[in-house]
Amino acid sequence: MKSNAMKMYKHLIIAVVIGLIILLAVQPVNGLTVIGVRTLAVMIPTLYLWLTVGTTWTSLLFLGFLVMTGAMTSTEVWAGSVGHFSVISMIVFMMLNYCLTETGVIDLVCSWFITRKIVNNRPYVFLCMFFASMMILGMFMDNLSLAVIYVGIAVVLAEKLGLKKGQPFYTCMFMGIMWVDTVISIASPIAHAPCLILMGYMSTQLGIDVSYGQWLAVGVPFAILMFIVIIICVNIWRPDTSAYINYDVEAEKRNMRPLDTRGKISAAIFIVMLFMILFPELGSGLLPSFCAYWKNVGVIVVAILAVSLLCVIHVDDKPLLDINAAYKSLPMGAIIFAGVVSVMATPVTSEATGINVWMANVLQPLFTGVNPFVVVIALTLGAVLMTNFMSNIVTMTIFFNIGVALLSGGSTNMGMFAMLIGFASSMATLTPSACAPMPLVFGPGHVTMKNSFRVNLIFILLSVVVMFAFVVPFTPFIIH
């Protein structure tokens, strides 16, 4: 404990020194204002602390310091962070996920996929179905919660197969969980903070309002292509699957727990909620007034109504959703962090700070005469590299704002650029610090960098190919 405290103190001192150097050395020139210097002196040390100390209390500290810089009023800071729509979205959808988990819906879906006859004596088909179940469920629930669930399922499956840590087939199951988790974190805006934050950035900084339907129109095909990439990686790897002979499909079927009344009603309410989220965009030609109203009401209200209904309906004198237990299950640190990152973009683009103007003035001479698409490629590759060592959302925030400073007003389709950076910032599986779910698989030793580096690198390289081959040409038709 003492050594941990000393490490924290060391990083705090370094952060303070970084802030003081910025205050004393950076001059308010090239569009940067005095308030902008103060903001950088708070923002950059905060990024350092997020990488070295953590994002819990340091995020709250950033909010306090941001008010003190004068870049935003206290009301603007609170409204733009903990009042950001990404925060309430995460809270509501995480409570829905909690209900689906507690009522057995999630477990049943996974079990259904891995007990089909097609998996019998076909280990690679088994892996494909296991990963497919996670991919489908992950489109509708937050990736951290899903990673927790699937790591637990994989541990049980490994025990039944007689697999041990370090064996290729064991490692492959957990590698697949990592890969799927990164893809779903950006493919669907439902309950996924990176998508929600990026949607906010695009609206406030680019004037591009992206709906859930538009995002899914890009995200679902991307997820399908990336699922193919995952299967390709497994087949390139070709792990030894001899232990799969121990898997008894019929025994697993017999052990499946069918949904009771609580589970059936919960699943039905969730399906109706998804219909109400997507229909206003897909069915506007059929019921224009109905669709216009619900599109104006918004996705979050629909989810709130679903949560409320789950609390109202009782079975065996118990609500379908135990709201108090659901509140206790919420990862408040992650939720607050999402809100803090959401507000971080506001001072970057504010006239009061001039940070975006300053960034453009400093960086543009370096890219004079460079084709804008080359800049897009460089920023995308930079995001892919950085995100494998630090927070996805921080990476996305940094490279998005650099891109806005360099590319705005030019010929680049900024909707395409934003989506590309969002996708690139989510392809993080290489190291234990790459993103929040990674410690779940690296920490207990389910996967190590030694036994995963080569195939992980192949996955990341193929993901870059998919991003440039699909996202770049396709996105402008959907988001503009």
Side-chain angles (χ1 to χ4, degrees):
M1 294 298 293
K2 184 177 179 181
S3 61
N4 289 335
M6 292 303 295
K7 287 179 182 178
M8 182 186 69
Y9 295 148
K10 180 187 73 174
H11 292 307
L12 283 173
I13 292 171
I14 293 172
V16 170
V17 171
I18 292 172
L20 290 173
I21 290 173
I22 293 171
L23 277 175
L24 298 173
V26 177
Q27 299 299 312
V29 295
N30 288 327
L32 186 66
T33 68
V34 173
I35 292 177
V37 174
R38 291 184 209 150
T39 304
L40 289 174
V42 169
M43 190 175 294
I44 294 175
T46 297
L47 293 174
Y48 174 79
L49 289 176
W50 283 350
L51 294 175
T52 56
V53 174
T55 60
T56 49
W57 64 268
T58 54
S59 295
L60 289 174
L61 182 64
F62 171 75
L63 293 182
F65 278 139
L66 183 57
V67 175
M68 294 170 67
T69 64
M72 300 172 68
T73 66
S74 58
T75 301
E76 290 171 337
V77 170
W78 313 143
S81 56
V82 293
H84 193 268
F85 77 91
S86 64
V87 172
I88 186 64
S89 295
M90 290 180 67
I91 290 172
V92 174
F93 280 106
M94 283 181 176
M95 288 195 289
L96 286 168
N97 296 340
Y98 176 85
C99 181
L100 294 177
T101 302
E102 291 298 304
T103 54
V105 176
I106 303 298
D107 186 59
L108 181 67
V109 172
C110 176
S111 297
W112 186 90
F113 272 86
I114 61 175
T115 55
R116 299 304 90 200
K117 286 184 179 180
I118 194 173
V119 309
N120 201 21
N121 297 320
R122 296 185 177 95
Y124 290 103
V125 176
F126 165 81
L127 288 172
C128 180
M129 295 294 280
F130 181 60
F131 300 152
S133 69
M134 184 179 180
M135 183 77 78
I136 292 170
L137 286 170
M139 299 299 285
F140 310 108
M141 64 184 297
D142 77 280
N143 56 312
L144 181 57
S145 299
L146 192 67
V148 171
I149 294 168
Y150 267 76
V151 165
I153 293 172
V155 168
V156 173
L157 287 173
E159 290 176 357
K160 291 179 179 179
L161 293 170
L163 295 171
K164 304 295 183 183
K165 290 180 181 178
Q167 292 180 332
F169 193 55
Y170 181 102
T171 304
C172 187
M173 278 202 300
F174 288 92
M175 285 290 297
I177 292 173
M178 291 166 53
W179 291 336
V180 173
D181 200 75
T182 59
V183 173
I184 61 173
S185 70
I186 199 66
S188 168
I190 300 173
H192 297 134
C195 305
L196 299 171
I197 291 169
L198 187 56
M199 289 166 76
Y201 286 171
M202 294 169 74
S203 178
T204 57
Q205 296 180 241
L206 301 175
I208 301 173
D209 293 318
V210 182
S211 68
Y212 276 48
Q214 287 175 307
W215 192 289
L216 289 169
V218 179
V220 171
F222 175 77
I224 293 171
L225 291 172
M226 288 305 300
F227 185 78
I228 295 172
V229 165
I230 291 171
I231 301 306
I232 290 172
C233 288
V234 171
N235 279 275
I236 291 174
W237 191 357
R238 302 295 296 179
D240 176 25
T241 60
S242 56
Y244 188 73
I245 196 173
N246 298 323
Y247 184 68
D248 189 338
V249 175
E250 294 304 318
E252 287 298 315
K253 279 185 179 180
R254 290 192 297 270
N255 292 331
M256 283 177 61
R257 182 167 63 92
L259 284 183
D260 59 13
T261 303
R262 298 172 61 82
K264 291 176 182 177
I265 297 175
S266 300
I269 291 173
F270 188 76
I271 292 170
V272 171
M273 182 203 72
L274 292 178
F275 173 80
M276 291 300 297
I277 288 174
L278 298 176
F279 184 76
E281 296 182 46
L282 303 178
S284 57
L286 299 174
L287 298 169
S289 298
F290 175 85
C291 292
Y293 174 77
W294 283 104
K295 192 171 183 178
N296 185 59
V297 165
V299 170
I300 299 172
V301 173
V302 175
I304 289 173
L305 293 175
V307 167
S308 301
L309 192 57
L310 290 169
C311 293
V312 169
I313 297 176
H314 283 57
V315 175
D316 297 329
D317 204 32
K318 293 182 180 179
L320 295 176
L321 174 60
D322 184 341
I323 194 68
N324 291 323
Y327 278 133
K328 291 178 182 177
S329 72
L330 294 174
M332 289 307 300
I335 291 170
I336 291 174
F337 175 60
V340 171
V341 173
S342 296
V343 80
M344 186 176 276
T346 303
V348 171
T349 58
S350 168
E351 290 183 8
T353 65
I355 292 175
N356 60 333
V357 177
W358 173 70
M359 288 172 60
N361 290 336
V362 170
L363 293 173
Q364 279 176 347
L366 301 176
F367 292 92
T368 301
V370 177
N371 186 292
F373 190 66
V374 174
V375 178
V376 172
I377 293 173
L379 293 177
T380 302
L381 295 178
V384 170
L385 178 63
M386 183 178 289
T387 195
N388 277 282
F389 298 92
M390 62 181 291
S391 163
N392 298 4
I393 297 176
V394 174
T395 299
M396 183 177 72
T397 301
I398 292 172
F399 281 88
F400 175 84
N401 283 291
I402 292 174
V404 169
L406 291 174
L407 301 169
S408 289
S411 59
T412 304
N413 181 292
M414 294 305 292
M416 175 275 293
F417 167 75
M419 295 291 283
L420 195 59
I421 289 298
F423 284 30
S425 299
S426 294
M427 296 300 106
T429 60
L430 206 57
T431 69
S433 63
C435 62
M438 291 305 105
L440 296 173
V441 289
F442 279 106
H446 300 309
V447 170
T448 66
M449 287 191 65
K450 182 179 180 180
N451 65 18
S452 67
F453 184 82
R454 174 179 168 272
V455 70
N456 243 332
L457 195 59
I458 293 172
F459 170 78
I460 291 168
L461 292 174
L462 289 177
S463 72
V464 172
V465 172
V466 171
M467 281 185 279
F468 284 116
F470 168 73
V471 177
V472 171
F474 182 70
T475 302
F477 292 102
I478 306 297
I479 298 170
H480 44 266

